[in-house]
Amino acid sequence: MKRNLSVLLSLLVLASIVLAACAPAATEAPATEAPSATEAPVATEAPAACQPAGTEPIAFPDGGKTVTGAWDQEPDSIVPYFTQMSYAIWITQLTLAGLGEWDDQGNFVPELAVEVPTADNGGVSADGLTITWKLKDCLFWSDGEPLTSADVVFTWEAIMDPGNAPTSRTGYDKIASIETPDDTTVVITFSELYPPWQVLFTQGPNNAGAILPKHMLEGQTGLESNDFIHQPTVGSGPWVITEWIPGDYMTLLPNPNFHGGRPVLDQVQVRFVPDPATAQAALQTGDVDWFPNFSEAEISTIGALEPDVHLIVVPGADFEHYFFNLGTTTGVDGRGASDVDGFCPFKDVRVRKALTLGINREAIVETLLEGKTTVPSSQWPNSSWTNSSLTPDAYDPDAAGALLDEAGYALGSDGIRAGDCNGENVKLSFNFETTTSQIRIDIATIVQSDLAKIGVEFKPIHTPAGTFFGSYADGGVMPTGKYDMAGYTTGFYPDPYTDNYKCESVPSAANPSGTNWYLNCDPALSDLMEEVNASADPAVRKEKLDEAQKYIFDNYYVIMMYARANVYGHTDRFVPGPFGFFSNLNWNSEVWDVK
């Protein structure tokens, strides 16, 4: 998954200064050195000798090198912009490339581009509104077609086309124009300052920004349902999907035209398994070579398998959280109308606080997660962006009960509290939606018991990830608001800004691409989050983000369950490349090898 958010602070200062007056701020992690000053990119023609190395994936030779991964979730789509599922984006890292990416140290580095735009190299204008990328020469798609600046323009146009339904247009909707003086130059002009420009058209485990092939998709709409989006037949990454048997496995062969050269391995396979326990058993027998999604609770178990199975633990800024459906069909002051009205009692901050106090989160961390992580106070854990003045609430069922009494919810003879909410008698009994992950099942069982002690009936529903995280068009649980309370893992990086609290991002039939899955339109918070993006100065952004974190904390809009760590297991024969939290295991799969 990803690395410490402090890396971005250094990136914003050293790699993407967009205001001449911005001074570098102290950071926790190393940043790349700014390139020496050069002239702004000029139009050039590709060398006449540029020819693709092939037009078909490289066939698996007899006795070739291969590795097999076990994944407990099967991707819903592969092409980014139309999925928010981590496993899908990991496959994107293997098969499609962006202009830039994050390396194993958390540094922002070029991928399809020659270098990262900076003020020093002429790639970032003095006012910060124009970003110029220079593509490498002789880029080709896996089918031999040239990959040029026209593909970048097409990617933007496809995202913004009202005939398509991407999961988000955030940032891309701030672009006023893209000019292409030649096949290798991309000049992006923003309509307003957009500090997180590095996450656009760039590829990482938490930002899906790969370039799309114009020659495959031009003239088509409804891309969210397009066969190519679900299973691309050409790519720009090190691998090409050549076979996909749903519910069973996926096979990938080398891309003959990968810009980084031929991968070391001859084949990668992904086997879909029902759960981490199955993956662990397959690792022990050597039937699979790696599994990327063990929980913190399994650290000791996997560690005990050394030396046949190696354990890698990468701490980061992801977090597991529970949250409330705060949707309202009327909106707030003309903003943020949802298709659904959320569970009425959740509109009362006293109820939200009581549920937070009524869950013994520290005990969950100690018992199920072996004390390997912490309960954070905000949604920016383990980073320099964290508001360090906030302290997580301790478990206090007595205080929780008192709050519910104060809110007018009295304990009934059936052990469930009930009270008046907008003129109706309502029981504190509600559904909780999450995925079928075993750790989530185990935690929900504990939460159910904890909340029963304060007179609250918490009813877990475990839905397959593909449906839970599905798009609005596909009836996904999250964007359509088909929940009372829900929980999953997310993280706001590589840039700290998120539109998950913007009123304008509440999903609905009129706004199916909205990413505010909390369905929460609080104009004060929405505007505060906008202020986080109103400056390119990291110090100013930090001050505003601190305010936003305190506002979220004081209003109990989410229940922070625990900060995530990425826990990998792999066989001794598999030799992955170096990786970190921002890059994920998959960022450099071309260097994977076997002993």
Side-chain angles (χ1 to χ4, degrees), residues 120-139:
D120 286 343
N121 65 24
V124 178
S125 64
D127 62 6
L129 295 178
T130 302
I131 309 296
T132 300
W133 288 92
K134 188 70 176 178
L135 298 180
K136 296 173 181 175
D137 291 326
C138 299
L139 294 176

Side-chain angles (χ1 to χ4, degrees), residues 339-356:
D339 292 339
V340 299
D341 283 312
F343 186 53
C344 181
F346 291 162
K347 303 298 174 68
D348 189 330
V349 65
R350 294 170 296 185
V351 173
R352 300 195 299 269
K353 181 175 181 178
L355 296 182
T356 303

Side-chain angles (χ1 to χ4, degrees), residues 147-189:
L147 194 166
T148 72
S149 57
D151 292 300
V152 180
V153 176
F154 171 76
T155 300
W156 175 53
E157 292 173 343
I159 295 167
M160 296 307 300
D161 190 332
N164 299 324
T167 57
S168 174
R169 294 187 171 95
T170 298
Y172 296 97
D173 58 359
K174 306 294 186 185
I175 295 174
S177 66
I178 300 181
E179 298 177 6
T180 55
D182 57 67
D183 283 349
T184 60
T185 305
V186 181
V187 183
I188 303 172
T189 300

Side-chain angles (χ1 to χ4, degrees), residues 8 11-12 15-16 102 108 116-117 133 195-200 202 207:
L8 183 71
L11 285 173
L12 283 169
S16 65
W102 280 263
F108 185 50
V116 170
W133 288 92
W197 60 265
Q198 291 173 329
V199 304
L200 306 181
T202 59
N207 69 290

Side-chain angles (χ1 to χ4, degrees), residues 373-397:
T373 184
T374 59
V375 175
S377 57
S378 86
Q379 292 172 281
W380 287 265
N382 295 327
S383 80
S384 61
W385 296 101
T386 299
N387 184 337
S388 58
S389 70
L390 304 177
T391 302
D393 291 286
Y395 176 56
D396 193 339

Side-chain angles (χ1 to χ4, degrees), residues 234-576:
V234 303
S236 53
W239 305 97
V240 180
I241 301 170
T242 58
E243 187 179 25
W244 185 351
I245 307 300
D248 195 355
Y249 68 91
M250 176 187 294
T251 300
L252 301 97
L253 293 177
N255 172 4
N257 302 314
F258 177 54
H259 66 89
R262 191 196 190 287
V264 174
L265 295 174
D266 299 299
Q267 178 179 267
V268 171
Q269 284 200 324
V270 175
R271 183 179 303 171
F272 305 118
V273 298
D275 49 49
T278 304
Q280 179 185 327
L283 277 173
Q284 289 180 265
T285 60
D287 290 334
V288 302
D289 294 294
W290 91 92
F291 180 69
N293 199 36
F294 286 115
S295 76
E296 293 83 351
E298 294 158 309
I299 289 175
S300 296
T301 302
I302 304 305
L305 302 179
E306 294 278 3
D308 296 329
V309 175
H310 300 310
L311 170 72
I312 301 176
V313 180
V314 183
D318 273 331
F319 55 86
E320 182 83 358
H321 69 323
Y322 284 7
F323 53 90
F324 313 92
N325 184 336
L326 295 175
T328 171
T329 56
T330 58
V332 182
D333 298 332
R335 303 169 67 183
S338 169
D339 292 339
V340 299
D341 283 312
F343 186 53
C344 181
F346 291 162
K347 303 298 174 68
D348 189 330
V349 65
R350 294 170 296 185
V351 173
R352 300 195 299 269
K353 181 175 181 178
L355 296 182
T356 303
L357 298 178
I359 299 174
N360 195 341
R361 295 173 290 168
E362 290 291 353
I364 290 171
V365 167
E366 290 301 319
T367 58
L368 289 185
L369 306 178
E370 302 189 19
K372 301 296 184 181
T373 184
T374 59
V375 175
S377 57
S378 86
Q379 292 172 281
W380 287 265
N382 295 327
S383 80
S384 61
W385 296 101
T386 299
N387 184 337
S388 58
S389 70
L390 304 177
T391 302
D393 291 286
Y395 176 56
D396 193 339
D398 293 336
L403 281 168
L404 295 177
D405 287 337
E406 181 184 325
Y409 294 94
L411 198 62
S413 59
D414 58 357
I416 303 172
R417 290 177 180 270
D420 179 82
C421 192
N422 288 345
E424 294 185 13
N425 187 59
V426 180
K427 280 190 172 186
L428 290 187
S429 174
F430 51 85
N431 293 333
F432 169 78
E433 279 274 2
T434 190
T435 70
T436 55
S437 162
Q438 187 59 50
I439 189 66
R440 292 194 174 120
I441 293 172
D442 294 341
I443 289 176
T445 300
I446 292 176
V447 172
Q448 185 177 44
S449 176
D450 282 348
L451 294 183
K453 296 172 185 175
I454 62 170
V456 173
E457 187 176 33
F458 174 91
K459 299 181 291 186
I461 298 174
H462 298 282
T463 300
T467 301
F468 183 84
F469 291 112
S471 67
Y472 186 96
D474 292 333
V477 172
M478 288 292 92
T480 58
K482 297 175 182 176
Y483 69 92
D484 295 326
M485 190 173 176
Y488 63 90
T489 288
T490 191
F492 303 139
Y493 55 92
D495 188 271
Y497 176 77
T498 175
D499 61 357
N500 285 29
Y501 286 106
K502 284 183 59 178
C503 290
E504 290 68 28
S505 296
V506 172
S508 65
N511 184 32
S513 298
T515 56
N516 183 346
W517 288 354
Y518 309 136
L519 310 183
N520 178 10
C521 177
D522 180 333
L525 178 57
S526 181
D527 295 345
L528 187 56
M529 287 305 302
E530 280 298 290
E531 292 180 33
V532 174
N533 247 16
S535 172
D537 186 338
V540 174
R541 299 185 79 202
K542 175 66 164 65
E543 181 181 349
K544 290 300 180 182
L545 190 64
D546 276 355
E547 289 183 41
Q549 290 175 73
K550 187 174 188 309
Y551 192 94
I552 295 166
F553 181 88
D554 290 344
N555 284 278
Y556 292 87
Y557 280 145
V558 297
I559 302 176
M560 298 298 293
M561 298 299 289
Y562 59 94
R564 291 294 307 269
N566 292 341
V567 183
Y568 303 83
H570 70 86
T571 59
D572 183 64
R573 73 177 289 271
F574 177 38
V575 184

Side-chain angles (χ1 to χ4, degrees), residues 54-67:
T55 59
E56 297 290 338
I58 300 173
F60 183 67
D62 291 339
K65 296 181 178 181
T66 183
V67 295

